[in-house]
Amino acid sequence: MATKYIFITGGVVSSLGKGIISASLGKLLQARGFKVTIQKFDPYINIDPGTLNPYEHGECYVTADGMETDLDLGHYERFTGIRTTRENSITTGRIYKTVIDRERRGDYLGKTIQVVPHITDEIKRRMLRQDVKGEDLDFVITEVGGTIGDIESAPFMEAIRQLRWQLGRDAVCVHLTYVPYLKAAEELKTKPTQHSVKELQGMGIQPDIIVLRTERHLDDALRMKVASFCNVDLECVVQSEDLPSIYEVPVSMQRQGLDAAILRKIGIPVGETPAMKAWHDFLNKQRGAKREVSVALVGKYDLQDAYKSIRESLNLAGIYDDVKVKIHFVASQALTRENVADRLAGMSGIVICPGFGQRGIPGKIVAAEYARTHDVPCFGICLGMQMMVIEFARDVLGYADADSSEMRPDTPHNVIDMMEEQKSITQMGGTMRLGEYPCQLRPGSRACEAYGGKGSVAERHRHRYEFNNRYREAYEKAGMQCVGVNPDADLVEVVEIPSLRWYIGTQFHPEYSSTVLHPHPLFISFIKACIGNGNAEA
Ligand code: GLN
């Protein structure tokens, strides 16, 4: 079968959950036995979101091949289990860089380089994944960031228009809009959707499917109105109502026949509706999980999206143990020795978040100290692990001035130090230790047990600093074990204190590889420890 292309655009407002719809559609097509990938095109100029502050764009997600990407790729992976790559996250910046580099090399042989056709051709090439070798995909789902009408997304729309023409029935356009409810009038309004579709039509794109985001149930009359105003069939107007969990969305879309409508448009026999047993089993567990367990998330950014993958990993791990994980954000910059007992009271576990720079560092160290001295299960991730290491040096090894050279370059006890290969790097973007690296686990350690006794694993990274091996022996002697090590570079990847209930720090980011059907083993093990410490609520 020739590869089919589905384009997903959004209108009216941003934050409608295009990423969730794209991921859900990927899941549904996968359930029908198709080979699928999902990619995101973002209209901003940054080459990748690696240099963006989380307040700007939420979490930066990292692929196994080391690309810093949009957090929607996390949804794609969690829903479908697909492993995305650097080809699945493209920005305007990357498109322009490719074209400009080519122009400087003289590849265009004296031509004037223009948005149309040079930029749009490059967008098309990437939408078709022409650089990716050896892929045998049935479907490529392409989500375009931003909202219809944005000046910056115009070249992407033009590329879709051209591809649509070129590919004929092998391309389908899905448009996601918003239907607001006006309380005073007690009415749901379709006008913004009509305008958004008109705008799209003005760019030469007729949507095949319209997904209506809504906080209230939409009746058939309203869907009919949208269908007739927007030139689509009634069965091609589906609604995406607010649901108790994002993981209910694929099932709701399947019930309304979103995937079937797409197959009909393309001309593929629809066949039976897949049962998706494992997914339904998961949803039943999620619906049934009543007991709550409180986990503190000690970090800098009080924003749902900032630690998206960690939040989802905690929730998913809990569901498999029939508990609802209640995440309490604790601002590290406001955490002190004086208030820590109060702020962390009632918490069954503590996660110390990744991060960069000075702000909130003392608070993270205080949280690590509190967890260690009160034996509260504690999971330190990347910077969180580094803070566990610093805290241990200060309090147990007796180096009061121990620090990371990121925070204090001249510290005499640099227990966390810049990696050798990072020292000559001057550029910020894409230059960290990124992506998947192997890690050897010490048999018998708690970390190794969590992985089911596996001696060797591979996890994703995003950091410049590392555990300083000069201190390894001192740590081991004093009770903090270096139980995970990179076999090639001898970098410490996992530390733990075996005498405590659960005190593990990982230099890598396990949250990036947790999926709905396979939550990460370290999160599962951590949540089990949280439940077991007697603090879980009935
Ligand atoms: N700032 C630390 C480093 O670069 C930790 C990075 C992180 O938490 N992702 O090593």
Side-chain angles (χ1 to χ4, degrees):
M1 176 173 115
T3 309
K4 317 292 177 198
Y5 298 85
I6 300 172
F7 298 100
I8 305 201
T9 56
V12 183
V13 286
S14 57
S15 304
L16 290 180
K18 248 184 306 171
I20 306 292
I21 295 293
S22 306
S24 300
L25 186 53
K27 177 80 207 163
L28 294 181
L29 292 169
Q30 230 183 15
R32 288 180 179 275
F34 295 113
K35 217 172 150 228
V36 181
T37 197
I38 317 175
Q39 51 185 4
K40 173 103 192 252
F41 282 61
D42 272 306
Y44 53 75
I45 314 281
N46 303 59
I47 296 286
D48 61 50
T51 52
L52 286 172
N53 181 320
Y55 279 128
E56 293 276 318
H57 214 67
E59 155 187 293
C60 171
Y61 185 78
V62 179
T63 58
D65 69 343
M67 182 80 193
E68 297 174 281
T69 74
D70 187 81
L71 60 79
D72 274 325
L73 272 82
H75 292 308
Y76 306 163
E77 292 208 7
R78 282 189 289 277
F79 276 63
T80 63
I82 295 169
R83 287 190 15 132
T84 55
T85 71
R86 56 184 58 247
E87 301 305 331
N88 292 59
S89 178
I90 309 287
T91 65
T92 291
R94 259 178 99 188
I95 300 280
Y96 269 80
K97 185 158 191 325
T98 310
V99 171
I100 291 169
D101 286 349
R102 219 179 268 151
E103 183 273 336
R104 291 289 83 182
R105 278 201 309 267
D107 292 1
Y108 292 108
L109 304 173
K111 285 264 181 245
T112 306
I113 311 307
Q114 296 180 294
V115 174
V116 183
H118 301 97
I119 295 298
T120 47
D121 278 353
E122 181 56 24
I123 296 173
K124 278 163 62 184
R125 234 169 44 77
R126 295 200 183 241
M127 282 179 167
L128 295 173
R129 298 174 73 82
Q130 283 176 345
D131 282 345
V132 192
K133 300 276 167 289
E135 269 188 332
D136 183 20
L137 295 168
D138 299 312
F139 283 93
V140 174
I141 299 172
T142 301
E143 176 191 347
V144 180
T147 310
I148 290 301
D150 294 348
I151 290 174
E152 54 186 16
S153 60
F156 293 97
M157 296 305 134
E158 171 59 12
I160 293 176
R161 186 195 67 76
Q162 292 183 21
L163 281 176
R164 191 68 198 292
W165 183 249
Q166 207 174 299
L167 294 164
R169 274 187 102 181
D170 286 348
V172 171
C173 292
V174 178
H175 190 53
L176 176 66
T177 71
Y178 180 55
V179 177
Y181 176 74
L182 296 188
K183 222 164 154 192
E186 294 183 359
E187 262 185 89
L188 286 151
K189 292 294 186 188
T190 64
K191 193 71 86 190
T193 297
Q194 295 177 41
H195 279 297
S196 181
V197 170
K198 270 214 183 86
E199 183 106 27
L200 203 56
Q201 289 165 338
M203 296 180 190
I205 301 171
Q206 168 61 45
D208 298 289
I209 312 269
I210 297 175
V211 180
L212 304 171
R213 230 3 229 108
T214 172
E215 281 150 28
R216 306 232 163 180
H217 186 75
L218 309 177
D219 61 18
D220 285 353
L222 187 138
R223 283 176 46 241
M224 192 52 151
K225 192 168 162 188
V226 171
S228 58
F229 277 118
C230 302
N231 302 344
V232 294
D233 302 327
L234 180 60
E235 62 149 27
C236 293
V237 182
V238 300
Q239 56 185 308
S240 172
E241 272 179 274
D242 279 359
L243 293 169
S245 146
I246 54 172
Y247 302 115
E248 302 273 358
V249 177
V251 174
S252 160
M253 290 298 127
Q254 189 188 49
R255 212 181 298 123
Q256 297 179 71
L258 174 67
D259 53 340
I262 286 176
L263 295 180
R264 257 182 240 118
K265 281 272 156 207
I266 293 173
I268 297 175
V270 174
E272 269 178 44
T273 307
M276 300 212 297
K277 179 162 180 326
W279 195 268
H280 280 283
D281 288 349
F282 161 79
L283 290 181
N284 284 333
K285 261 186 146 353
Q286 185 178 42
R287 293 174 197 135
K290 296 277 182 283
R291 198 154 73 113
E292 285 186 344
V293 54
S294 287
V295 172
L297 194 66
V298 180
K300 260 200 301 196
Y301 305 101
D302 189 6
L303 190 81
Q304 279 293 326
D305 278 354
Y307 306 107
K308 192 80 196 158
S309 295
I310 294 179
R311 285 176 180 271
E312 292 306 317
S313 299
L314 289 168
N315 288 333
L316 293 170
I319 289 162
Y320 283 90
D321 242 311
D322 301 309
V323 296
K324 221 181 182 150
V325 178
K326 227 170 131 185
I327 298 170
H328 301 254
F329 176 77
V330 177
S332 54
Q333 55 276 28
L335 206 55
T336 62
R337 273 206 160 136
E338 290 66 46
N339 66 21
V340 63
D342 183 42
R343 298 270 160 104
L344 297 178
M347 295 296 143
S348 299
I350 300 168
V351 174
I352 308 180
C353 289
F356 296 85
Q358 286 288 351
R359 193 164 67 90
I361 289 297
K364 285 186 176 171
I365 295 175
V366 163
E369 181 189 30
Y370 181 86
R372 184 178 59 78
T373 52
H374 292 75
D375 201 4
V376 182
C378 186
F379 197 172
I381 301 177
C382 207
L383 183 73
M385 169 266 199
Q386 298 177 352
M387 294 307 116
M388 283 174 153
V389 168
I390 291 169
E391 190 279 319
F392 195 86
R394 289 184 186 175
D395 209 41
V396 181
L397 302 184
Y399 307 139
D401 52 7
D403 218 320
S404 161
S405 46
E406 177 179 7
M407 315 309 158
R408 198 183 142 191
D410 63 346
T411 178
H413 291 103
N414 51 346
V415 291
I416 301 292
D417 196 17
M418 188 179 266
M419 280 181 279
E420 208 42 53
E421 74 257 26
Q422 287 286 329
K423 291 185 179 158
S424 55
I425 292 174
T426 50
Q427 296 250 39
M428 286 291 275
T431 55
M432 279 185 260
R433 181 173 183 240
L434 289 166
E436 205 169 78
Y437 287 92
C439 169
Q440 212 79 44
L441 295 166
R442 185 180 297 171
S445 64
R446 187 153 298 143
C448 182
E449 253 171 51
Y451 280 98
K454 263 197 209 164
S456 173
V457 295
E459 297 286 0
R460 303 183 200 181
H461 296 70
R462 182 175 187 242
H463 63 118
R464 278 186 216 288
Y465 297 82
E466 59 166 321
F467 181 99
N468 186 340
N469 274 334
R470 276 200 290 132
Y471 295 94
R472 199 139 130 194
E473 225 183 286
Y475 276 89
E476 292 272 346
K477 272 203 191 119
M480 183 179 262
Q481 311 288 326
C482 302
V483 297
V485 174
N486 175 290
D488 310 313
D490 201 32
L491 296 178
V492 171
E493 303 279 17
V494 187
V495 296
E496 71 178 42
I497 301 181
S499 59
L500 296 177
R501 247 196 283 249
W502 207 101
Y503 196 87
I504 298 181
T506 61
Q507 185 58 78
F508 52 72
H509 293 260
E511 71 274 21
Y512 294 143
S513 48
S514 226
T515 69
V516 172
L517 298 184
H518 300 286
H520 194 284
L522 281 173
F523 281 94
I524 291 185
S525 166
F526 171 64
I527 291 294
K528 276 195 196 304
C530 296
I531 299 167
N533 85 354
N535 245 341
E537 296 155 34

